[in-house]
Amino acid sequence: MDTTPMIDIKDLSVTFNRGRKPVKAVNGVSLRVRPGEVVALLGESGSGKSVTMRSLLRLHPAGTTVDGSMTVDGRDVMKLSKKELGNLRGPIVSMIFQEPRLALDPVYTLGRQIEEAIMRHAKVSRAEAAARAFALFEKVRIPSPERRLRNYPHEMSGGMLQRSMIAMALACNPKVLLADEPTTALDATVQIQILLLIRELQKEYGLSVIFVTHDIGVAAEVADRIAIMYAGRIVEEGMVSDIIERPKHPYTKGLLGARVELAHGRDRLITIPGAPPDLADMPPGCAFAPRCPQASDPCRSRVPDLVRQAGDGQVACLQYS
Ligand SMILES: Nc1ncnc2c1ncn2[C@@H]1O[C@H](COP(=O)(O)OP(=O)(O)O)[C@@H](O)[C@H]1O
Ligand SMILES: [Mg+2]
């Protein structure tokens, strides 16, 4: 088996310098994705998931400090020229977002936009691009593809629009799909359909996927492995079955507990009291300590390292180091 990772993020830190105090949104994240593997990046809002994804395509605003290294399909992302970066986005890495409406142009039909995406990277005629767009719409199971390709984004439902985005993401035959909460804005039944579609296409094309979500149930549904992020760091990582059946980090246990509570119709906020820390003013020790039911004094002064556990997983908690 090929063990060279498709994505290899090493010690990534991202700091935004625009405000009054620097904001360290990502703080020493390492993450590997093997070819054909689906990794869920899980965490509450503001934990640095999207910033991590955008780093892989170097999509940060000017003045952002990025440290560490990232390779995608053997390419050193930090060293790519503007032109090489253009050849990374699309043919190697595609990204889909929570809000497809923001990623699409309201003044062009969906067919036109997919054709343009195809023609940007492949030397094909408009007619050929149109035929491929049709095939892609069939692939993502949009009913009446010919008619739908002539629609503008506002004429589509949320679910159909997300299918269009997936078609667009596949337009250049990427090796990597970065999916940033692509089902969060959809209602539950549509969400499941989109998850199944992504999983099916992932298998068919052998895609490597990072699937960002705040929902541990969605992560378990879609991924092979789960990496849990808190306040810019990965606090636990492992195979889905290990994370779900034997969570180690108190935060992971909290996320699982929150789902159970939700199933019983109670407020999920009861389970993990408090809020994530201010990234511009981090506590000195473990970032989760202020909310952790098991925190002791050393937790409040020492940042725990991510330590490999028996088996495959890693945990950053003093209880396990
Ligand atoms: N361009 C930016 N400038 C300043 N702060 C940012 C920027 N982008 C993201 N952040 C901050 O970084 C933190 C992590 O954001 P993000 O990665 O979007 O979280 P999420 O896990 O919800 O995707 C948040 O506190 C957010 O406000
Ligand atoms: Mg996000």
Side-chain angles (χ1 to χ4, degrees):
M1 202 189 118
D2 184 5
T3 50
T4 314
M6 181 59 72
I7 298 172
D8 196 359
I9 302 174
K10 283 194 185 126
D11 210 16
L12 174 72
S13 292
V14 182
T15 308
F16 296 106
N17 303 303
R18 295 297 266 299
R20 292 176 60 206
K21 268 180 141 184
V23 171
K24 199 157 199 171
V26 174
N27 195 345
V29 162
S30 296
L31 186 68
R32 283 180 170 202
V33 183
R34 288 187 279 264
E37 189 177 40
V38 182
V39 174
L41 192 56
L42 171 71
E44 283 168 292
S45 174
S47 54
K49 308 180 298 292
S50 295
V51 172
T52 303
M53 292 302 94
R54 288 204 294 274
S55 302
L56 281 168
L57 291 173
R58 291 214 341 236
L59 290 173
H60 294 307
T64 307
T65 310
V66 182
D67 292 308
S69 72
M70 291 169 286
T71 62
V72 176
D73 195 25
R75 292 160 176 82
D76 186 336
V77 174
M78 302 281 273
K79 295 206 175 104
L80 296 181
S81 67
K82 225 174 167 176
K83 182 160 176 252
E84 290 167 327
L85 212 49
N87 291 329
L88 182 78
R89 298 174 187 157
I92 310 290
V93 185
S94 265
M95 193 149 162
I96 49 177
F97 303 90
Q98 179 174 340
E99 249 315 322
R101 266 170 237 281
L102 298 178
L104 289 161
D105 195 323
V107 305
Y108 293 110
T109 64
L110 292 163
R112 172 76 186 242
Q113 294 185 59
I114 294 176
E115 288 162 22
E116 298 290 340
I118 293 168
M119 291 164 72
R120 208 171 300 139
H121 296 284
K123 286 195 179 62
V124 296
S125 66
R126 169 76 58 186
E128 249 173 283
R132 274 200 216 175
F134 181 86
L136 283 164
F137 261 38
E138 280 192 314
K139 189 101 238 162
V140 299
R141 277 187 246 104
I142 292 178
S144 326
E146 198 161 334
R147 183 170 61 82
R148 284 309 196 171
L149 283 163
R150 290 197 298 270
N151 278 164
Y152 291 88
H154 75 268
E155 297 174 298
M156 302 280 266
S157 68
M160 285 300 148
L161 214 50
Q162 200 54 289
R163 285 177 194 267
S164 312
M165 277 310 296
I166 295 168
M168 184 117 84
L170 297 175
C172 300
N173 290 312
K175 296 182 175 179
V176 173
L177 182 66
L178 305 179
D180 193 353
E181 310 225 24
T183 62
T184 300
L186 305 172
D187 62 45
T189 47
V190 181
Q191 173 165 333
I192 291 293
Q193 291 165 7
I194 298 289
L195 286 182
L196 292 174
L197 175 67
I198 290 175
R199 193 71 230 215
E200 181 191 317
L201 295 169
Q202 180 272 328
K203 286 210 177 83
E204 184 175 340
Y205 293 103
L207 294 167
S208 306
V209 178
I210 301 182
F211 192 104
V212 171
T213 178
H214 63 266
D215 185 331
I216 198 165
V218 167
E221 193 71 48
V222 79
D224 303 310
R225 282 195 300 133
I226 302 182
I228 295 130
M229 235 178 139
Y230 189 78
R233 292 196 178 96
I234 288 178
V235 297
E236 180 160 10
E237 182 267 320
M239 299 300 290
V240 168
S241 53
D242 290 335
I243 298 285
I244 300 298
E245 285 156 30
R246 289 173 293 279
K248 289 197 165 73
H249 200 287
Y251 180 58
T252 313
K253 290 178 184 165
L255 289 174
L256 276 161
R259 267 195 80 78
V260 175
E261 300 257 321
L262 211 58
H264 290 93
R266 280 189 280 156
D267 189 346
R268 73 187 304 167
L269 294 175
I270 293 167
T271 319
I272 312 182
D278 178 355
L279 295 171
D281 193 13
M282 290 278 277
C286 170
F288 188 61
R291 297 170 79 186
C292 182
Q294 288 152 34
S296 56
D297 278 343
C299 301
R300 286 180 263 274
S301 56
R302 232 177 88 201
V303 178
D305 291 325
L306 201 52
V307 176
R308 192 157 290 284
Q309 305 296 302
D312 175 69
Q314 303 186 77
V315 183
C317 174
L318 291 184
Q319 289 181 74
Y320 297 95
S321 57

